[in-house]
Structures are given as C-alpha cells and as structure tokens.
Amino acid sequence: MILALNTTVFALPPTVSVEEYDYEAEQQVLNEQPYIPMESLDFNDNDYAIENKKAYDLGKSIQQRDFSRLGIFSIISPQSYRFLAVTHYYQDDSEWASDIMQPAGYSIADGGCALTSFAMISSYLGDYHTPRTMNIALGNKACPFLRDSAASQFGYTILNSLSAPSNSTAVTTSIGCIALGRPVFICLRKGTTSNYHWVVAYGYNDNSVMILDPEGDWDYSNLSTYLNNGWNVRYLNTFSA
Amino acid sequence: MKRVLILASLCVLILSGCNFKNQNCQTSDVISSINTNSSSSQLGTPIPINGFSLEDLKLQICVPSDIKFQDPNIDFDMPEHYSVMSGDPTFDLGAYMKAKLYGNYTYVCALTVENTIAAMELPVIFLQGFNLEDIENKRAVIMVGQRQLSMEELSAYEVYRDEAAVVYNFSSLVMTESFDDYIEIHKASTTYDYSWTKDVYHYFQNHIQEIIKRK
C-alpha cells in the first residue's frame, strides 16, 4: 500500500495554457494529497532549513526530472507542471481601485500590490477576501502592509520564509512550494532601488514559475519576466491556515 | 500460495527496514524516549535538542506602554514599529542569520518603511527557549550553528528562567557583525534614515530580561 502511494510516476510535461487548465480537477487532486508535515531538523545541513531544503530539493528534482533524491517513500508525487487554484485579483480593478488604505492613505490601485497578493492567498486558504474586504479587515495595518501582523490576524503561519535568495534559489524553492500545494507570496525589488512589487506564484510548467500579477497594466504571467529585467526577490514565503 | 506468503513476508521486511531507515525522529521524541529508559542514558552520544519560540512556551514579550519608537521618515502613525515573530525550521533569513538555530525561535524586527507599500523586517534580537526537562538530560546539548554550547557557556546568554523554561538571547551568536552592518545588509534606500532602528535594537538588547513574561 505504501509502495503504491509512493511510486507514482510523474507525467511527461504536457503544454497546458493557464486558460485551458482544469482548476477544479487540480483542486480535487490537491485535496486528496496528504499534508506534508514538518519534519525534524537536519543537523548536518547548514545551508537551508530542512523544510526549505525539502522544497528546494523537490523543485530541483522537478526541474531536472530526477526524482531519485526524493526516495521512493516520498509521499509527494511530483509532476513537471502544476497550477494551484488561486483567484487572480487586480489592484486596479474598478471595483476597489480607488479605495484608500490606511494609515499611508494610498489607493489600492497605487499601492495595493502587497495587499492584493495577500488577498489572493487568503482566498486560496479559504477566507475568500477581495482586496476591498481585505483592506477593510486589515484597517490601519493595510498600507504599509505588515506581513506578520496580517498573518496573525487571519491565524496563518508563515512558512518557507526566504530572505533575499538568489534568483535560481527563489525559482527552485517556489516550484517546490507549489508542488507542496502552497502558493508563494513574493516580494520583488527593482535592483537596489526602493521600488518594490508583490506577486503570487501559483504554478510551474517545466522550469517556469507562473505568477499572478496584481498590477493589471503589467500583468506578467512568468516570474522570469521580472527576474530577467533587473528585479530580485527580496523575500518570499508561504502561508498555512 | 506458500510462495506468495514468503514473497509478502519479504516485502513487509524490506518495507519496514526501508521505513526505519527513512525515519526522521524528532529530537524531542528521542529525548523523551531517553527519559523513560535509564539504561540508554548511560550511552554517550550528545543529542542536540530543539528550541522553542516564546509562543511555543506560553511566554510573551511585554513592552511597557510608555516605550515609544518613532520613525522620522514617515508622516503618518504606524500602528507598529517592531514585530515579534516566530521563526521555525522553514525559515532561511539569509544574511540576517549567520548561524542557524535548531528548532523554533523568536526574533524581533524593526519595521522599516522605505516604500510605503509594505514594511520590511530588520531583525534586532534572536531568542530561543527550551523546556527545562529537556536540557536537564545529561546527553542533551544546545547548538547554535556548528557550535555546541556547554551549560556554563549558556549561562552568559540566559535572559529568562522559570520553573518550566529557560530563554537565551543568542543574538551575538546569530548576528555576528555589528548592528550597523546589519543595517547595511537591509538598506533599501539611500534617502531613508535608518538610525531610529538602533533605538529598537538597543531597547530589546538592554531590556529583554525585564520584558519576557509568562502568559
């Protein structure tokens, strides 16, 4: 029985566009997958915390199509593509674009990318907030967005927190997190400027990390579009409900 | 039929063997099993034990209400200028954390607002707690990075102790450079004045012993 659960052969990479993808089927598969529990620490590994190492290793295995390192008893059935059913909200949606966030007083359209990205993840985790209702819920902690405070307010735990990872580590870890069923909250920084932007990574196909960009004017669908144009990952993390 | 049974038994044996090999025991489980088996405790290998966040230990940081921090860069009232965060083994704080802490821990961050969209977290103190019953085990050791700390060494880092738990301030082992260097790592703007974060750093470093309380 254990063997049957763990030796699922990954599918060859089909090319699936986001529009064609069957989100309901994905959600069903996701619901059937066991939650990956925290495991003990690896005292020999000084480079990555074990859960990040696991996400990183999983991402690397998916990128290289080599699952030998995961072991046949891994409870994960890695695939070369996966898309999580995350709702795409735009900060400049006319329904809430002009709503003002406190305490800074910016509109959601002007400064709501972090809040909108968090609303997407919150919806995925079952709290079904739009940027408008998220803004109301966070009140005077909406802008500047306070990641830890927002997570606490919704009872989420921050996981897989990486600070200023290299681009390749960010991509690989994101793929691993998505394979584990966790959309990734990504803070991007343009070079060494104070220009920041937030997006949600929700899928991968081959080695590409697919994102939901809250900025409708840009609406990039691939993380590499940012990374190849002078943006770096300032931090990333996932949330668990 | 006999062959099937033999094959099945072999499979079970192989599977249980592999499963054992693949098993990742929580060190706290190991400690618990040692506590209930006195003969094993005679055997020598030290066991690094997992730490806990203050929250795990039902402890909290209570900053007196008259302690205020002021970010001179912003013209609106920030609801929070620092955040008490729980770190766990899924965290990799990169350049902020020069040595790894094993298990969960608590760190306090100054919240800097270079871009107004969201606050950035600049760590100012790293705390880790332990259950007294875990560290009383003779084989238990506490590690920070690759360094194994003796009980004598640990006393220099102790900032809180009660009947159930002890908390250490491991900042100097985790943040091996000066706080100014950490500001340089963190710096995201040449126009933003980071000097106020030193007040947060000094407050928590100097007063942490007075402000950890049991919930």
Side-chain angles (χ1 to χ4, degrees):
Chain A
M1 182 60 183
I2 298 170
L3 199 62
L5 267 175
N6 291 297
T7 53
T8 310
V9 179
F10 73 97
L12 287 171
T15 307
V16 181
S17 74
V18 176
E19 291 74 22
E20 289 169 351
Y21 195 73
D22 186 344
Y23 288 108
E24 283 185 14
E26 166 62 37
Q27 193 60 56
Q28 197 178 342
V29 170
L30 180 67
N31 292 340
E32 286 166 3
Q33 288 190 356
Y35 178 70
I36 311 302
M38 294 292 116
E39 289 179 5
S40 68
L41 298 166
D42 180 355
F43 288 94
N44 297 318
D45 190 322
N46 215 23
D47 296 321
Y48 291 98
I50 189 71
E51 271 294 308
N52 282 343
K53 188 173 188 308
K54 188 160 70 178
Y56 181 86
D57 277 353
L58 179 57
K60 201 76 188 166
S61 302
I62 290 164
Q63 287 178 312
Q64 296 177 344
R65 314 279 179 271
D66 171 13
F67 300 116
S68 55
R69 73 171 79 188
L70 299 177
I72 62 165
F73 291 98
S74 164
I75 57 172
I76 302 155
S77 304
Q79 294 177 310
S80 57
Y81 69 97
R82 183 164 191 189
F83 298 94
L84 305 178
V86 182
T87 307
H88 193 174
Y89 292 125
Y90 292 98
Q91 63 194 94
D92 40 9
D93 187 311
S94 58
E95 198 176 323
W96 47 71
S98 57
D99 289 6
I100 298 298
M101 299 178 292
Q102 297 299 347
Y106 283 143
S107 69
I108 292 179
D110 287 343
C113 49
L115 175 127
T116 304
S117 295
F118 186 68
M120 292 189 222
I121 291 182
S122 133
S123 292
Y124 179 78
L125 294 175
D127 285 316
Y128 307 109
H129 272 286
T130 65
R132 166 169 282 175
T133 60
M134 181 58 73
N135 182 27
I136 294 165
L138 293 179
N140 73 339
K141 294 179 181 177
C143 181
F145 178 77
L146 305 174
R147 171 174 63 154
D148 184 55
S149 199
S152 301
Q153 185 170 333
F154 284 89
Y156 302 159
T157 303
I158 294 177
L159 298 172
N160 304 109
S161 185
L162 287 188
S163 184
S166 67
N167 287 350
S168 65
T169 299
V171 167
T172 303
T173 305
S174 295
I175 289 173
C177 289
I178 293 161
L180 292 166
R182 302 171 187 160
V184 189
F185 187 68
I186 299 181
C187 169
L188 294 155
R189 180 184 179 193
K190 176 85 170 173
T192 53
T193 69
S194 53
N195 191 4
Y196 285 82
H197 188 49
W198 276 255
V199 297
V200 175
Y202 76 107
Y204 62 84
N205 194 353
D206 290 336
N207 293 341
S208 295
V209 173
M210 311 307 290
I211 55 169
L212 299 174
D213 194 332
E215 172 52 79
D217 293 336
W218 301 347
D219 204 11
Y220 297 134
S221 58
N222 198 313
L223 183 62
S224 63
T225 309
Y226 282 103
L227 301 185
N228 294 337
N229 284 286
W231 294 77
N232 309 302
V233 175
R234 175 63 180 77
Y235 69 73
L236 63 80
N237 68 271
T238 63
F239 297 94
S240 82
Chain B
M1 186 61 186
K2 207 174 181 180
R3 195 178 285 175
V4 171
L5 282 172
I6 292 168
L7 261 174
S9 314
L10 275 172
C11 280
V12 167
L13 275 172
I14 290 166
L15 284 174
S16 57
C18 291
N19 196 35
F20 176 74
K21 213 173 162 187
N22 207 35
Q23 209 169 24
N24 254 330
C25 296
Q26 286 283 356
T27 45
S28 53
D29 294 344
V30 176
I31 294 286
S32 307
S33 68
I34 291 163
N35 285 338
T36 55
N37 184 353
S38 57
S39 62
S40 319
S41 64
Q42 306 302 317
L43 304 170
T45 340
I47 300 171
I49 55 172
N50 285 346
F52 295 95
S53 68
L54 297 187
E55 194 178 4
D56 292 336
L57 296 170
K58 307 277 186 288
L59 297 170
Q60 61 186 331
I61 291 178
C62 300
V63 176
S65 55
D66 60 334
I67 301 296
K68 305 278 185 205
F69 300 106
Q70 187 60 47
D71 179 350
N73 302 279
I74 52 178
D75 56 4
F76 51 83
D77 289 330
M78 272 284 281
E80 296 168 9
H81 289 287
Y82 65 89
S83 181
V84 179
M85 305 183 71
S86 294
D88 67 35
T90 75
F91 281 39
D92 188 335
L93 298 181
Y96 293 123
M97 207 169 179
K98 303 289 187 186
K100 182 172 164 183
L101 295 174
Y102 297 102
N104 295 347
Y105 53 92
T106 291
Y107 63 111
V108 179
C109 294
L111 298 174
T112 61
V113 190
E114 296 92 341
N115 60 59
T116 319
I117 296 171
M120 294 291 147
E121 298 140 3
L122 171 58
V124 297
I125 192 168
F126 285 86
L127 304 165
Q128 192 168 39
F130 296 87
N131 283 318
L132 280 181
E133 62 177 25
D134 285 350
I135 63 169
E136 278 162 5
N137 184 288
K138 287 194 170 69
R139 289 171 60 193
V141 294
I142 290 173
M143 291 189 72
V144 177
Q146 296 298 305
R147 184 170 169 187
Q148 184 179 317
L149 295 158
S150 68
M151 288 302 149
E152 293 73 40
E153 285 174 304
L154 281 166
S155 61
Y157 302 100
E158 186 175 315
V159 290
Y160 176 87
R161 180 182 286 261
D162 65 15
E163 66 285 352
V166 59
V167 177
Y168 300 110
N169 175 2
F170 285 143
S171 305
S172 59
L173 300 175
V174 170
M175 305 168 74
T176 52
E177 294 159 24
S178 71
F179 188 66
D180 284 342
D181 290 331
Y182 277 83
I183 290 175
E184 284 303 313
I185 292 169
H186 182 78
K187 214 168 200 172
S189 165
T190 49
T191 53
Y192 187 88
D193 176 7
Y194 290 88
S195 58
W196 73 275
T197 61
K198 292 180 188 176
D199 296 341
V200 184
Y201 171 78
H202 289 302
Y203 176 76
F204 281 99
Q205 290 294 340
N206 295 334
H207 297 275
I208 194 66
Q209 287 169 308
E210 304 145 29
I211 57 178
I212 297 177
K213 312 277 182 201
R214 189 154 282 284
K215 283 185 181 173

